[in-house]
Amino acid sequence: MKKLLSLTALAAATALVLSGCASASTDAGATDEPTNDSGVRIVASTDVYGDIAKQIGGDRVSVTSIIDDPDKDPHEYEADARTQLSLSKAQLVIENGGGYDDFVDKMLAAADNKIAPVLNAADISGYDQEPADGEFNEHVWYDFPTVQKLTDELVNQLSAIDPDGTKTYEENAKTFEGQLTALEQQEKDIKASFDGAGAAITEPVPLYMLTAAGLVNKTPGAFSEGIEEGTDVAADVLKQTTDLFSSGAVKVLVYNEQTSGAQTELVLTAAKDSKIPVVPVTETLPAGTDYISWMTTNLNALQSALSGK
């Protein structure tokens, strides 16, 4: 499901922000310049990228994540004045891109912030966003090589904005990238044991991870694309999907628990009825976790499911 930002909400938020900025400019001591207390001002489209930025920036950055609640759907986000104001003052912006969070570009344009560099993860990934053989999978935060590239870009941009913090950014990045390397090794370990095993999904959210782990997506494209777009899939496509479990074509179902409906529930029931293990995943950070621990949990769950534990 890829719903764009509501233009009405955007217009309302913009008006409120312009009003707020006008009043702020008359306040004693109000300034757009960074302070030691606030650090480099970063706005991220989701808390996934917000956490990554915090891991690299540490105490030298102040991060605002627009989508910061597991109950919020990035596809259905509507603008608010506080977010618009944050974007107007941002020194660095991080978005996923690839059609996932177009609201960032719209809000940034409305905020008239032409100075802040924008790190677009989909662009940074280097993947073809218009593949001839299907749709681009925009969920690139499940792709650890892309996150490695994003980390390098964060170090470059933060060092340009705050040269005094370069050593801190480089050291934090080294630690973070070491943790990413460990995650990639776990994917390789899974692949060593289960290379070629079939997997089913409800949406393409975890596909980069599953592919790196050697699993083969057996789900009809019409099913996962329909669920992602929020449209009902044809009865024959639904049957093809549920038959994957009874036929033994797949060893695991990995489903997006943030998006559910009657058809995904039927798929979930079919998997359980056939005693196929189910691994839930999410698009945003679960409460009380960070990027590395979240992805570690995902990989541990996948490995356990495939091992029959």
Side-chain angles (χ1 to χ4, degrees), residues 19-73:
S19 173
C21 288
S23 62
S25 66
T26 62
D27 291 342
T31 176
D32 286 343
E33 297 299 318
T35 67
N36 291 333
D37 292 333
S38 64
V40 178
R41 297 184 296 275
I42 302 175
V43 175
S45 63
T46 73
D47 54 7
V48 175
Y49 294 114
D51 180 73
I52 293 170
K54 189 65 178 175
Q55 296 299 322
I56 306 309
D59 293 337
R60 300 189 71 89
V61 300
S62 174
V63 180
T64 299
S65 298
I66 298 174
I67 305 295
D68 59 358
D69 186 323
D71 294 329
K72 293 181 180 178
D73 186 344

Coordinates of all heavy atoms in Angstrom, one line a residue, residues 19-73:
S19 N 3.1 30.3 10.3 CA 2.7 31.2 11.4 C 3.6 31.0 12.6 O 4.0 32.0 13.2 CB 1.2 30.8 11.8 OG 0.9 31.5 13.0
G20 N 4.0 29.7 12.8 CA 4.9 29.4 14.0 C 6.2 30.0 13.8 O 6.8 30.5 14.7
C21 N 6.8 29.9 12.5 CA 8.1 30.5 12.2 C 8.1 32.0 12.4 O 9.0 32.6 12.9 CB 8.5 30.1 10.8 SG 8.9 28.4 10.6
A22 N 7.0 32.6 12.0 CA 6.9 34.1 12.1 C 7.0 34.5 13.5 O 7.7 35.5 13.9 CB 5.6 34.6 11.4
S23 N 6.3 33.8 14.4 CA 6.3 34.2 15.8 C 7.6 33.8 16.5 O 8.1 34.5 17.3 CB 5.1 33.5 16.5 OG 5.3 32.1 16.5
A24 N 8.2 32.7 16.0 CA 9.5 32.3 16.6 C 10.5 33.3 16.3 O 11.4 33.5 17.1 CB 9.9 30.9 16.0
S25 N 10.5 34.0 15.2 CA 11.5 34.9 14.8 C 11.6 36.1 15.7 O 12.5 36.8 15.8 CB 11.4 35.3 13.3 OG 10.2 36.1 13.2
T26 N 10.5 36.4 16.4 CA 10.4 37.5 17.3 C 10.8 37.2 18.8 O 10.9 38.0 19.6 CB 9.0 38.1 17.3 OG1 8.1 37.2 17.8 CG2 8.6 38.5 15.9
D27 N 11.0 35.9 19.0 CA 11.3 35.5 20.4 C 12.8 35.8 20.7 O 13.6 35.6 19.8 CB 11.1 33.9 20.5 CG 9.6 33.6 20.5 OD1 8.8 34.5 20.7 OD2 9.3 32.4 20.3
A28 N 13.0 36.2 21.9 CA 14.4 36.5 22.3 C 15.2 35.2 22.3 O 14.8 34.2 22.8 CB 14.4 37.1 23.7
G29 N 16.4 35.3 21.6 CA 17.3 34.2 21.6 C 16.9 33.1 20.6 O 17.6 32.1 20.4
A30 N 15.8 33.2 19.8 CA 15.4 32.2 18.8 C 16.5 32.3 17.7 O 16.9 33.3 17.3 CB 14.0 32.5 18.3
T31 N 16.9 31.1 17.3 CA 17.9 31.0 16.2 C 17.8 29.7 15.4 O 17.3 28.7 16.0 CB 19.3 31.1 16.8 OG1 20.3 30.9 15.8 CG2 19.5 30.0 17.9
D32 N 18.2 29.8 14.2 CA 18.2 28.6 13.4 C 19.6 27.9 13.4 O 19.8 26.9 12.8 CB 17.9 28.9 11.9 CG 16.4 29.2 11.7 OD1 15.6 28.8 12.6 OD2 16.1 29.8 10.7
E33 N 20.5 28.5 14.1 CA 21.9 28.0 14.1 C 22.0 26.8 15.1 O 21.3 26.8 16.1 CB 22.9 29.1 14.5 CG 23.0 30.2 13.5 CD 23.4 29.7 12.2 OE1 24.4 28.9 12.2 OE2 22.9 30.2 11.2
P34 N 22.8 25.8 14.8 CA 23.0 24.7 15.8 C 23.6 25.1 17.1 O 24.3 26.1 17.1 CB 23.9 23.7 15.0 CG 24.7 24.6 14.1 CD 23.7 25.7 13.7
T35 N 23.2 24.5 18.1 CA 23.7 24.8 19.5 C 24.4 23.5 20.0 O 24.1 22.4 19.5 CB 22.6 25.2 20.4 OG1 21.8 24.1 20.7 CG2 21.9 26.4 19.9
N36 N 25.2 23.7 21.0 CA 25.9 22.5 21.6 C 24.8 21.6 22.2 O 25.0 20.4 22.4 CB 26.9 23.0 22.7 CG 28.1 23.6 22.0 OD1 28.4 23.3 20.9 ND2 28.7 24.5 22.7
D37 N 23.7 22.1 22.7 CA 22.7 21.3 23.4 C 21.9 20.5 22.4 O 21.6 19.3 22.6 CB 21.7 22.2 24.1 CG 22.4 22.9 25.3 OD1 23.3 22.3 25.8 OD2 21.9 24.0 25.7
S38 N 21.6 21.0 21.2 CA 20.8 20.3 20.2 C 21.6 19.4 19.3 O 21.2 18.4 18.8 CB 20.0 21.3 19.4 OG 20.8 22.1 18.6
G39 N 22.9 19.8 18.9 CA 23.7 19.1 18.0 C 23.2 19.3 16.6 O 22.3 20.1 16.3
V40 N 23.7 18.5 15.6 CA 23.3 18.6 14.3 C 21.8 18.1 14.2 O 21.5 17.0 14.6 CB 24.2 17.7 13.4 CG1 23.7 17.7 11.9 CG2 25.6 18.1 13.5
R41 N 21.0 18.9 13.6 CA 19.6 18.6 13.5 C 19.3 17.6 12.3 O 19.4 18.0 11.2 CB 18.7 19.8 13.4 CG 18.9 20.8 14.6 CD 18.0 22.0 14.5 NE 18.3 22.8 13.4 CZ 19.2 23.8 13.5 NH1 19.9 24.0 14.6 NH2 19.5 24.5 12.4
I42 N 18.8 16.4 12.6 CA 18.6 15.4 11.6 C 17.1 15.1 11.7 O 16.5 14.8 12.8 CB 19.4 14.1 11.8 CG1 20.9 14.4 11.8 CG2 19.0 13.1 10.8 CD1 21.8 13.2 12.1
V43 N 16.4 15.0 10.5 CA 15.1 14.5 10.4 C 15.1 13.3 9.6 O 15.6 13.3 8.5 CB 14.1 15.6 9.9 CG1 12.7 15.0 9.7 CG2 14.0 16.8 10.8
A44 N 14.5 12.2 10.1 CA 14.4 10.9 9.4 C 13.0 10.5 9.1 O 12.1 10.8 10.0 CB 15.1 9.8 10.2
S45 N 12.7 9.9 8.0 CA 11.3 9.6 7.7 C 10.7 8.6 8.7 O 9.5 8.6 9.0 CB 11.2 9.1 6.3 OG 11.9 7.8 6.1
T46 N 11.5 7.6 9.1 CA 11.1 6.6 10.1 C 12.1 6.4 11.2 O 13.3 6.8 11.1 CB 10.8 5.2 9.4 OG1 12.1 4.6 9.1 CG2 10.0 5.4 8.2
D47 N 11.7 5.8 12.3 CA 12.6 5.6 13.4 C 13.7 4.6 13.1 O 14.7 4.5 13.8 CB 11.8 5.2 14.7 CG 10.9 4.0 14.5 OD1 11.0 3.4 13.4 OD2 10.2 3.7 15.4
V48 N 13.5 3.8 12.0 CA 14.6 3.0 11.5 C 15.8 3.8 11.2 O 16.9 3.6 11.7 CB 14.1 2.1 10.3 CG1 15.3 1.3 9.8 CG2 13.0 1.2 10.7
Y49 N 15.6 4.8 10.3 CA 16.7 5.6 9.9 C 17.1 6.6 11.0 O 18.3 7.0 11.1 CB 16.3 6.4 8.6 CG 16.2 5.5 7.4 CD1 14.9 5.3 6.8 CD2 17.3 4.7 7.0 CE1 14.8 4.4 5.8 CE2 17.1 3.8 5.9 CZ 15.9 3.7 5.3 OH 15.7 2.8 4.3
G50 N 16.1 7.0 11.8 CA 16.5 7.8 13.0 C 17.4 7.1 13.9 O 18.4 7.7 14.4
D51 N 17.2 5.8 14.2 CA 18.1 5.1 15.1 C 19.5 4.9 14.4 O 20.5 5.1 15.1 CB 17.5 3.7 15.4 CG 18.4 2.9 16.3 OD1 18.4 3.2 17.5 OD2 19.1 2.0 15.8
I52 N 19.5 4.6 13.2 CA 20.8 4.5 12.5 C 21.6 5.8 12.6 O 22.8 5.8 12.9 CB 20.6 4.1 11.0 CG1 20.1 2.7 10.9 CG2 22.0 4.2 10.3 CD1 19.6 2.3 9.5
A53 N 20.9 6.9 12.4 CA 21.6 8.2 12.5 C 22.1 8.5 13.9 O 23.2 9.0 14.1 CB 20.6 9.3 12.1
K54 N 21.3 8.1 14.9 CA 21.7 8.2 16.3 C 22.9 7.4 16.6 O 23.8 7.8 17.4 CB 20.5 7.9 17.2 CG 20.8 8.3 18.7 CD 20.9 9.8 18.9 CE 21.1 10.2 20.3 NZ 21.4 11.6 20.5
Q55 N 22.9 6.2 16.1 CA 24.1 5.3 16.3 C 25.4 5.9 15.8 O 26.4 5.7 16.4 CB 23.8 3.9 15.7 CG 22.6 3.1 16.2 CD 22.8 2.8 17.7 OE1 23.8 2.5 18.2 NE2 21.6 2.8 18.4
I56 N 25.3 6.6 14.7 CA 26.5 7.2 14.1 C 26.8 8.5 14.7 O 27.9 8.9 15.0 CB 26.3 7.4 12.6 CG1 25.9 6.0 11.9 CG2 27.6 7.9 12.0 CD1 26.8 4.9 12.3
G57 N 25.8 9.3 15.0 CA 26.0 10.7 15.5 C 26.2 10.8 17.0 O 26.8 11.7 17.4
G58 N 25.6 9.8 17.7 CA 25.8 9.9 19.2 C 25.2 11.1 19.8 O 24.2 11.6 19.3
D59 N 25.9 11.7 20.7 CA 25.5 12.9 21.4 C 25.6 14.2 20.6 O 25.2 15.2 21.0 CB 26.2 13.1 22.7 CG 25.9 12.0 23.7 OD1 24.8 11.4 23.6 OD2 26.7 11.7 24.6
R60 N 26.2 14.1 19.4 CA 26.5 15.2 18.6 C 25.3 15.5 17.7 O 25.4 16.5 16.9 CB 27.8 15.1 17.8 CG 29.0 14.9 18.7 CD 30.3 15.0 17.9 NE 30.6 16.3 17.4 CZ 31.3 17.2 18.1 NH1 31.8 16.9 19.3 NH2 31.5 18.4 17.6
V61 N 24.3 14.7 17.7 CA 23.2 14.9 16.8 C 21.8 15.0 17.6 O 21.7 14.4 18.7 CB 23.1 13.9 15.7 CG1 24.3 13.8 14.9 CG2 22.8 12.5 16.3
S62 N 20.9 15.6 17.0 CA 19.5 15.7 17.6 C 18.6 15.1 16.5 O 18.5 15.7 15.4 CB 19.1 17.1 17.9 OG 17.8 17.1 18.3
V63 N 18.0 14.0 16.7 CA 17.2 13.3 15.7 C 15.7 13.3 15.9 O 15.2 13.1 17.0 CB 17.7 11.8 15.6 CG1 16.9 11.0 14.5 CG2 19.2 11.7 15.4
T64 N 15.0 13.7 14.9 CA 13.6 13.6 14.9 C 13.1 12.6 13.9 O 13.5 12.7 12.7 CB 12.9 15.0 14.5 OG1 13.3 16.0 15.5 CG2 11.4 14.9 14.4
S65 N 12.4 11.6 14.3 CA 11.8 10.6 13.4 C 10.3 10.9 13.2 O 9.6 10.9 14.1 CB 12.0 9.2 14.0 OG 13.4 8.9 14.2
I66 N 10.0 11.0 11.9 CA 8.6 11.4 11.6 C 7.6 10.2 12.0 O 6.6 10.4 12.6 CB 8.4 11.7 10.1 CG1 9.3 13.0 9.8 CG2 7.0 12.0 9.8 CD1 9.3 13.3 8.3
I67 N 8.0 9.0 11.5 CA 7.2 7.8 11.9 C 7.9 7.2 13.1 O 9.0 6.6 12.9 CB 7.1 6.8 10.7 CG1 6.4 7.5 9.5 CG2 6.2 5.6 11.2 CD1 5.0 8.0 9.7
D68 N 7.4 7.3 14.3 CA 8.1 6.8 15.5 C 7.3 5.9 16.3 O 7.6 5.8 17.5 CB 8.6 8.0 16.3 CG 7.4 8.9 16.7 OD1 6.3 8.6 16.3 OD2 7.7 9.9 17.4
D69 N 6.3 5.3 15.8 CA 5.4 4.5 16.5 C 5.0 3.2 15.7 O 4.7 3.4 14.5 CB 4.1 5.2 16.9 CG 3.2 4.5 17.8 OD1 3.0 3.3 17.7 OD2 2.5 5.1 18.6
P70 N 5.2 2.0 16.3 CA 4.8 0.8 15.5 C 3.4 0.8 15.0 O 3.1 0.1 14.0 CB 5.1 -0.3 16.5 CG 6.0 0.2 17.5 CD 5.7 1.7 17.6
D71 N 2.5 1.6 15.6 CA 1.1 1.6 15.1 C 0.9 2.6 14.0 O -0.2 2.6 13.4 CB 0.2 2.0 16.3 CG 0.2 0.9 17.4 OD1 0.3 -0.3 17.0 OD2 0.0 1.3 18.5
K72 N 1.9 3.4 13.6 CA 1.8 4.3 12.5 C 2.2 3.6 11.2 O 3.2 2.9 11.2 CB 2.6 5.5 12.7 CG 2.2 6.4 13.9 CD 3.1 7.6 14.0 CE 2.7 8.6 15.1 NZ 3.7 9.7 15.2
D73 N 1.4 3.9 10.1 CA 1.7 3.3 8.8 C 2.4 4.4 8.0 O 1.8 5.4 7.6 CB 0.4 2.8 8.2 CG 0.7 2.0 6.9 OD1 1.8 2.2 6.3 OD2 -0.2 1.3 6.4

